């Protein structure tokens, strides 16, 4: 701009900066007599319409924001073919200059982070993503106030929060050292990319270096996309607050789903940290920039686990048992200690933790063969805690949605609406096992209990006695005798039995036929080792029920389930899982509805926190037409297991069978919102559409279920039925033939009956239902409410069948 003294009504003084999108001059507004920063698009670019368009967009984007931490736009204009933006002039330095001067005090770092996060919150909530957060675009005024500059790379977002795709796919927009992994891979970023960039900036303020580096561009991209940096405290060796470490590392998570989801969420954590620092008079302590004394009981909610050398884990003079019994005993110790803190620990203002989520314990061994131990520890802690009075415990299927995600306990606590969150890690090193567990008070944002258990694995009996004694000593003044029994009554007498039981649970959760059969093998092996292991019998009953009707004829599977359930209850009448298993057999196989209801109610009296028992009880109540009671049970199940897809789906299914289609549609949308790749949601949508007469929509929904879930017998049967109803006899017949030709599997007669009903062949439909009766299929219990058989409701043979099942 040599020789240029005036642009429009601005008198140009001097060049004060150069950026990728233009040059910046200090100027004076001759009309208002104030200093301004005048950003000009270089003359050589004026013929580039794309650059002109982006330059103008910067002004429109930034001018739409009105926030004290965002630079103020005065005017956008053009004079003598020069495009310009006039903004407030900020007297101060860029954050880049400040970092270059040396280490920044913790308080100053927090203040800068707080200001930038405030600015991003305002921008994101206005639908704007900055996309180029870096020290050069952050100004620090002389009074320490922070201003975010340069929205030249920002893009207005649509309602979903995803930036409008103006750049070519695969293009990289932003400054490389600060872009998010998704940007490094060429993906279109959303607002969470700004939070990653901000995490990089905070990291640089704390350490003087960026978390990702390389000798060339490819090295840097690889580092951003694939490498996890050390926490700032590790890099500097300085006394950085653990909570600040946690905030930075959370912002730098590779997967956007594991980062802060909003700037508001990150700002709340920074606000809490700032208040704690202010309380400790550390925030403005610039004379000692690298000293920090942690606030008592205000440690980071997640633990950075550094394991001592294996020799340090040994305790001389102590003989310890096998890994399995040691795991069982440690689980009991963890549960007992947690319960003592939850029920009786001192909390401010007399409040207590009355609700808990136990997140999946991380398998720190790096060995997939140890996975069943880490999962088993989690499930056992959940199972034991759920039976203690005055404590609501979130169910397994909800908490396991967080598995492997390095979830922040505070965020999880708020999402699940619980007061306490338990986190942990298990690591096995040869003959040594280390378990670490912690309890976070979500309301206070602090870790209130943590413990590490290190054991040498040798003598089984010794470790059992040691753990039992430790539990008794620790909880003698807190737990009643009955409550102690709740914690200890289901222990296996044999260490190998406990291991095999954990493997059985691990395989059963996979829900496919080969895995369920492996579960049965493990449960049977556990029972061989310990014939009095009631919980293993209950697991065995549940596994046989999992095979029945879909993979194995009920007459083959359910008598075995019945025998196992009876043995479980006979061994331990107070075992809720045993009563639930027995209730399932009585309702769905014996058709002893009154007896089944008694068993369900006994199970829930023993453990009101059992979401699965509430769900199964709700299924029974639905099938016999007690819809209000059924909905009540399903809603309780959802409260206990809020992220479970089957539980969410079951709420919708119950409304569907009750004929409340609008509510069913609204509820199934909630399930889809949880996971839009779960096929059963679209299967239920198809049934709703069919009931409402929307046949084309029903076909489309079923296609989606088949595309996602495969050609399972359930989906095939419904596909055949719906096609029969719309008049496509050929497609319906194909589905029926495919069901009959399944190799090595059991074909449920009711599936064939459903298609025959759609084709209008009532005689063949009733013949197939008679086969289902001979098999004692649980599907017959649904005949009273299943709308697929509406045309048979007045058929004498159908009515007689309902009477034989006991439904009339």
């Amino acid at each position: 701009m040599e020789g240029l003294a005036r642009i429009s009504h601005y008198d140009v003084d001097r060049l004060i900066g150069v950026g990728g999108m233009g040059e910046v001059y200090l100027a004076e507004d001759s009309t208002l007599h104030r200093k301004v920063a005048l950003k000009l698009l270089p003359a050589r670019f004026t013929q580039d319409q794309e650059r002109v368009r982006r330059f103008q967009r910067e002004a429109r984007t930034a001018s739409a924001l009105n926030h004290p931490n965002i630079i103020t736009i005065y005017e956008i204009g053009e004079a003598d073919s020069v495009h310009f933006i006039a903004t407030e002039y900020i007297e101060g330095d860029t954050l880049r200059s400040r970092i270059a001067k040396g280490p920044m005090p913790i308080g100053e770092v927090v203040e800068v982070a707080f200001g930038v996060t405030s600015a991003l919150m305002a921008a994101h909530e206005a639908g704007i993503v900055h996309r180029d957060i870096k020290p050069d675009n952050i100004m620090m005024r002389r009074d320490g106030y922070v201003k975010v500059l340069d929205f030249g790379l920002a893009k207005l977002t649509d309602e979903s929060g995803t930036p409008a795709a103006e750049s070519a796919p695969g293009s990289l927009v932003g400054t490389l050292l600060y872009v998010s992994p998704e940007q490094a891979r060429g993906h279109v970023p959303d607002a969470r990319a700004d939070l990653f960039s901000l995490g990089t900036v905070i990291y640089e303020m704390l350490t003087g270096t960026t978390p990702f580096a390389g000798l060339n561009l490819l090295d840097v991209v690889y580092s951003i996309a694939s490498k996890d940096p050390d926490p700032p405290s590790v890099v500097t060796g300085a006394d950085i607050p653990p909570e600040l470490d946690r905030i930075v590392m959370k912002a730098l998570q590779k997967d956007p789903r594991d980062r802060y989801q909003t700037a508001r969420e990150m700002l709340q954590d920074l606000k809490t940290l700032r208040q704690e620092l202010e309380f400790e008079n550390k925030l403005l302590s610039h004379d000692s920039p690298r000293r920090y004394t942690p606030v008592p009981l205000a440690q980071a909610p997640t633990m950075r686990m550094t394991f001592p050398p294996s020799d340090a884990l040994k305790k001389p003079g102590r003989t310890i048992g096998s890994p399995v019994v040691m795991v069982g005993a440690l689980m009991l110790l963890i549960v007992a200690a947690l319960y003592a803190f939850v029920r009786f620990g001192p909390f401010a203002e007399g409040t207590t933790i009355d609700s808990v989520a136990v997140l999946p314990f991380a398998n720190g061994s790096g060995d997939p063969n140890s996975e069943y131990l880490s999962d088993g520890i989690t499930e056992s802690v959940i199972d034991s805690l759920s039976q203690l009075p005055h404590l609501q415990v979130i169910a397994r299927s909800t908490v396991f949605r967080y598995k492997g995600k390095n979830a922040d306990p505070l965020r999880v606590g708020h999402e699940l609406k619980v007061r306490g969150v338990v986190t942990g890690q298990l690591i096995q090193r040869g003959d040594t096992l280390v378990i670490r567990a912690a309890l976070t008070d979500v309301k206070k944002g602090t870790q209130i209990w943590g413990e590490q258990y290190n054991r040498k694995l040798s003598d089984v009996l010794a470790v059992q006695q040691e753990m039992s004694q430790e539990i008794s000593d620790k909880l003698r003044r807190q737990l009643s005798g009955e409550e102690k029994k709740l914690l200890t009554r289901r222990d296996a007498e044999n260490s190998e039995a406990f291991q095999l039981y954990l493997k059985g649970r691990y395989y059963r959760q996979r829900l496919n036929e080969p895995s369920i059969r492996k579960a049965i093998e493990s449960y049977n092996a556990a029972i061989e080792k310990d014939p009095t292991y009631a919980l293993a019998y209950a697991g065995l009953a549940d596994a046989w029920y999992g095979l029945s009707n879909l993979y194995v004829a009920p007459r083959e599977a359910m008598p075995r389930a019945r025998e196992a359930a009876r043995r479980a209850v006979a061994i331990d009448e107070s075992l809720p899982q045993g009563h639930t298993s027995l209730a399932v057999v009585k309702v769905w196989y014996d058709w002893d509805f009154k007896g089944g209801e008694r068993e369900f109610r006994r199970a829930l009296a023993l453990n009101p926190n059992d979401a699965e028992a509430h769900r199964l009880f709700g299924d029974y109540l639905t099938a016999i037409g007690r819809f209000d009671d059924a909905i009540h049970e399903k809603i309780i199940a959802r409260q206990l297991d809020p992220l479970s897809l089957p539980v969410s789906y079951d709420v919708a299914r119950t409304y569907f069978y009750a004929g409340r289609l609008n509510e069913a549609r609204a509820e199934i949308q909630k399930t889809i919102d949880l996971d839009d790749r779960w096929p059963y949601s679209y299967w239920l949508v198809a049934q709703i559409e069919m009931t409402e007469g929307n046949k084309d929509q029903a076909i489309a929904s079923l296609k989606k279920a088949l595309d996602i879930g495969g050609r399972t017998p359930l989906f095939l049967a419904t596909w055949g039925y719906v096609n029969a109803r719309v008049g496509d006899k050929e497609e319906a017949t194909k589905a029926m033939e495919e069901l009959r030709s399944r190799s090595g599997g059991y074909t449920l007669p009711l599936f064939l009956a459903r298609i025959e009903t759609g084709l209008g062949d009532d005689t063949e439909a009733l013949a197939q239902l008679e086969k289902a009766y001979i098999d004692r299929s649980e599907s017959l219990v649904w005949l009273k409410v299943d709308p697929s058989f509406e045309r048979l409701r007045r058929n004498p043979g159908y009515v007689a069948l309902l009477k034989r099942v006991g439904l009339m």
Side-chain angles (χ1 to χ4, degrees):
M1 287 300 172
E2 183 178 352
L4 183 63
R6 188 177 180 89
I7 297 176
S8 184
H9 55 283
Y10 298 103
D11 296 319
V12 178
D13 184 355
R14 66 181 188 277
L15 180 69
I16 56 175
V18 178
M21 282 302 299
E23 300 166 338
V24 183
Y25 291 83
L26 174 63
E28 182 172 333
D29 184 337
S30 62
T31 303
L32 298 176
H33 302 290
R34 63 183 175 188
K35 291 182 179 180
V36 299
L38 205 62
K39 186 167 188 176
L40 312 180
L41 187 65
R44 63 183 181 278
F45 294 144
T46 55
Q47 301 305 311
D48 187 334
Q49 294 302 312
E50 172 61 18
R51 285 185 177 271
V52 171
R53 186 175 69 86
R54 288 174 60 190
F55 183 78
Q56 292 173 335
R57 186 180 66 241
E58 174 184 354
R60 290 195 301 271
T61 300
S63 63
L65 303 171
N66 181 18
H67 190 275
N69 293 114
I70 298 176
I71 191 169
T72 302
I73 302 296
Y74 295 144
E75 182 184 2
I76 174 174
E78 179 184 358
D80 300 323
S81 299
V82 175
H83 297 271
F84 66 85
I85 300 175
T87 72
E88 66 174 309
Y89 172 63
I90 301 171
E91 295 191 35
D93 295 321
T94 64
L95 181 58
R96 170 75 63 211
S97 300
R98 174 63 191 86
I99 292 173
K101 293 177 182 178
M104 296 175 64
I106 295 297
E108 189 177 9
V109 170
V110 173
E111 286 299 288
V112 172
F114 192 88
V116 176
T117 310
S118 297
L120 289 178
M121 183 181 76
H124 295 169
E125 292 182 355
I128 296 168
V129 181
H130 189 287
R131 305 206 314 159
D132 197 22
I133 293 295
K134 58 184 178 181
D136 312 76
N137 284 336
I138 299 168
M139 287 289 296
M140 300 179 67
R141 293 194 327 201
R142 299 287 184 243
D143 59 4
Y145 215 81
V146 174
K147 291 277 188 175
V148 178
L149 319 178
D150 197 356
F151 279 78
L153 293 175
K155 289 192 174 183
L156 295 178
T157 61
D158 59 24
E159 291 182 358
S160 68
T162 302
E166 294 181 346
S167 300
S171 64
L172 177 61
V173 181
T175 303
L176 182 57
L177 286 174
Y178 302 91
V179 299
S180 64
E182 56 268 31
Q183 289 172 284
R185 296 186 181 101
H187 299 163
V188 178
D190 61 17
R192 293 171 294 184
D194 280 352
L195 303 182
F196 183 95
S197 300
L198 176 55
T200 303
V201 170
I202 302 172
Y203 193 102
E204 188 173 3
M205 286 193 285
L206 290 168
T207 66
T209 183
T210 55
F212 310 103
L215 298 176
N216 52 51
L217 183 145
L218 291 178
D219 285 348
V220 174
V221 171
Y222 175 77
S223 178
I224 293 170
S226 305
K227 292 185 178 180
D228 291 321
D230 289 326
S233 60
V234 174
V235 174
T236 64
D239 291 332
I240 294 173
E243 176 67 0
L244 184 54
D245 248 0
R246 184 192 69 81
I247 290 170
V248 173
M249 298 309 290
K250 182 173 181 179
L252 291 177
Q253 290 295 306
K254 303 295 186 189
D255 189 334
R257 294 172 297 183
D258 295 335
R259 289 178 215 148
Y260 288 103
Q261 297 303 290
T262 64
R264 182 179 293 275
E265 182 184 348
M266 185 172 177
L267 186 67
Q268 183 57 50
D269 279 0
L270 286 167
K271 182 179 181 181
T272 300
L273 174 62
R274 187 168 72 164
Q275 289 171 342
E276 291 179 354
L277 292 174
E278 286 174 343
F279 180 76
E280 291 295 306
N281 294 317
K282 301 295 180 185
L283 189 59
L284 300 178
S285 180
H286 292 188
D287 58 322
S288 181
R290 286 301 177 191
R291 296 301 303 163
Y292 171 77
T293 303
V295 179
L297 292 181
Q299 305 304 317
T302 51
M303 300 169 62
R304 187 174 69 251
M305 299 182 180
T306 304
F307 295 97
S310 56
D311 288 346
L313 302 177
K314 300 177 181 179
K315 293 187 178 182
R318 179 174 292 178
T319 55
I320 309 296
S322 74
V324 178
V325 169
M326 203 278 291
V327 168
L330 288 180
M331 182 274 294
L332 292 176
L333 183 58
I334 291 169
V335 170
L338 284 172
Y339 185 63
F341 271 93
V342 166
R343 179 84 185 276
F344 302 101
F347 297 100
E349 300 176 359
T351 59
T352 60
I353 291 182
D354 57 1
S355 53
V356 172
V358 182
L359 296 185
F361 279 38
N363 173 17
S365 304
D367 182 359
N369 293 324
S370 296
E371 198 74 13
Y372 78 94
L373 282 174
S374 55
D375 283 3
I377 285 290
T378 308
E379 292 169 353
S380 297
V381 172
I382 292 170
D383 183 45
S384 294
L385 284 177
S386 69
Q387 295 174 69
L388 294 171
H390 316 298
L391 183 65
Q392 178 185 338
V393 182
I394 298 298
R396 177 207 187 272
S397 54
T398 282
V399 296
F400 266 71
R401 287 176 68 92
Y402 294 97
K403 183 175 178 178
K405 295 185 177 180
N406 192 29
D408 171 25
L410 292 182
R411 188 189 79 185
V412 171
H414 289 301
E415 288 176 353
L416 301 183
K417 297 179 175 60
V418 294
R419 177 68 187 272
V421 174
V422 178
T423 55
Q425 185 178 48
L426 176 146
I427 188 166
Q428 187 174 356
R429 293 177 171 177
D431 63 350
T432 298
L433 194 68
V434 179
I435 299 178
R436 290 185 171 187
L439 173 63
T440 296
D441 183 340
V442 175
K443 184 176 182 179
K444 296 172 66 177
T446 58
Q447 178 185 310
I448 58 174
W449 171 83
E451 191 61 79
Q452 174 173 308
Y453 305 92
N454 312 320
R455 296 293 185 269
K456 179 74 177 172
L457 310 176
S458 55
D459 188 346
V460 173
L461 293 177
V463 74
Q464 285 180 321
Q465 293 165 0
E466 179 191 357
M467 292 296 108
S468 296
Q469 187 61 52
E470 286 187 21
I471 293 170
S472 176
D473 291 345
K474 187 176 290 287
L475 302 179
R476 182 176 298 152
R477 295 184 177 87
Q478 283 82 20
L479 296 182
S480 68
E482 186 61 30
E483 288 167 343
K484 287 180 182 178
K485 286 174 62 178
L486 291 173
L487 293 177
T488 60
R489 69 181 178 206
R490 291 183 314 283
D491 264 359
E493 294 295 330
N494 181 286
S495 65
E496 293 178 80
F498 182 69
Q499 178 186 23
L500 290 163
Y501 170 74
L502 291 183
K503 285 184 176 179
R505 288 188 67 158
Y506 178 74
Y507 287 125
R508 176 65 179 95
Q509 295 295 341
R510 297 188 177 185
L511 301 179
N512 58 67
E513 183 181 5
S515 293
I516 296 174
R517 290 191 179 277
K518 284 184 179 180
I520 290 172
E521 291 176 7
S522 296
Y523 287 135
N524 277 325
I527 290 166
E528 286 181 12
K529 298 292 182 182
D530 182 358
T532 64
Y533 197 178
L535 201 51
Y537 282 108
L540 180 62
D542 174 63
W544 276 114
Y545 174 62
L547 287 181
S548 178
N549 221 47
L550 288 178
Y551 306 112
V552 174
R555 278 194 176 275
E556 177 185 344
M558 293 303 283
R560 301 180 185 188
R562 180 203 288 135
E563 177 60 23
R566 285 177 173 173
R567 291 293 300 275
V569 172
I571 293 168
D572 185 354
E573 199 281 332
S574 65
L575 182 69
Q577 292 93 326
H579 289 283
T580 299
S581 295
L582 192 54
V584 164
V585 173
K586 284 183 176 293
V587 167
W588 303 113
Y589 185 72
D590 294 337
W591 302 334
D592 175 7
F593 301 136
K594 290 183 179 180
E597 182 164 346
R598 282 196 304 270
E599 294 297 331
F600 273 127
R601 293 193 181 281
R602 174 62 175 153
L604 290 170
L606 289 167
N607 183 6
N609 281 320
D610 191 338
E612 183 66 0
H614 283 288
R615 187 182 76 83
L616 291 170
F617 187 30
D619 275 352
Y620 155 70
L621 293 168
T622 301
I624 65 172
R626 288 165 55 184
F627 297 119
D628 289 343
D629 292 338
I631 290 168
H632 174 73
E633 292 298 326
K634 299 288 188 178
I635 289 175
I636 292 175
R638 185 168 61 185
Q639 289 170 346
L640 293 166
D641 206 354
L643 299 185
S644 167
L645 293 169
V647 170
S648 175
Y649 155 86
D650 260 0
V651 174
R653 186 174 63 150
T654 302
Y655 279 117
F656 169 69
Y657 282 127
R660 297 161 64 173
L661 299 184
N662 289 337
E663 289 159 292
R665 189 182 292 278
E667 292 296 337
I668 200 61
Q669 184 58 50
K670 295 177 183 177
T671 311
I672 294 171
D673 291 342
L674 280 175
D675 185 348
D676 61 4
R677 298 292 296 171
W678 202 58
Y680 295 95
S681 299
Y682 304 104
W683 176 76
L684 183 57
V685 169
Q687 294 189 86
I688 295 171
E689 298 287 4
M690 200 67 196
T691 303
E692 293 181 333
N694 303 321
K695 297 178 181 179
D696 290 342
Q697 292 92 325
I699 290 285
S701 294
L702 272 179
K703 282 182 178 178
K704 195 163 188 177
L706 286 162
D707 288 344
I708 298 172
R711 300 180 73 80
T712 67
L714 176 64
F715 296 161
L716 270 176
T718 309
W719 176 254
Y721 167 75
V722 171
N723 275 280
R725 288 284 306 277
V726 301
D728 192 341
K729 183 176 180 180
E730 181 180 357
E731 191 66 28
T733 303
K734 282 182 182 179
M736 196 150 45
E737 290 173 353
E738 186 173 347
L739 284 168
R740 285 191 170 113
S741 64
R742 290 177 67 237
S743 60
Y746 169 74
T747 299
L748 179 65
L750 181 129
F751 288 160
L752 302 175
R754 182 170 286 149
I755 299 175
E756 296 288 5
T757 301
L759 291 169
D761 191 340
D762 295 353
T763 301
E764 184 59 30
L766 286 171
Q768 291 295 337
L769 290 175
E770 186 64 29
K771 290 180 181 178
Y773 177 83
I774 293 171
D775 284 346
R776 295 195 72 83
S777 168
E778 73 171 71
S779 302
L780 295 187
V781 182
W782 292 97
L783 290 184
K784 184 176 180 179
V785 297
D786 189 340
S788 303
F789 296 100
E790 185 64 35
R791 61 174 285 120
L792 296 177
R793 293 277 185 249
R794 297 181 182 178
N795 186 296
Y798 192 82
V799 173
L801 181 61
L802 291 181
K803 289 180 179 178
R804 281 187 286 160
V805 175
L807 295 171
M808 293 184 68

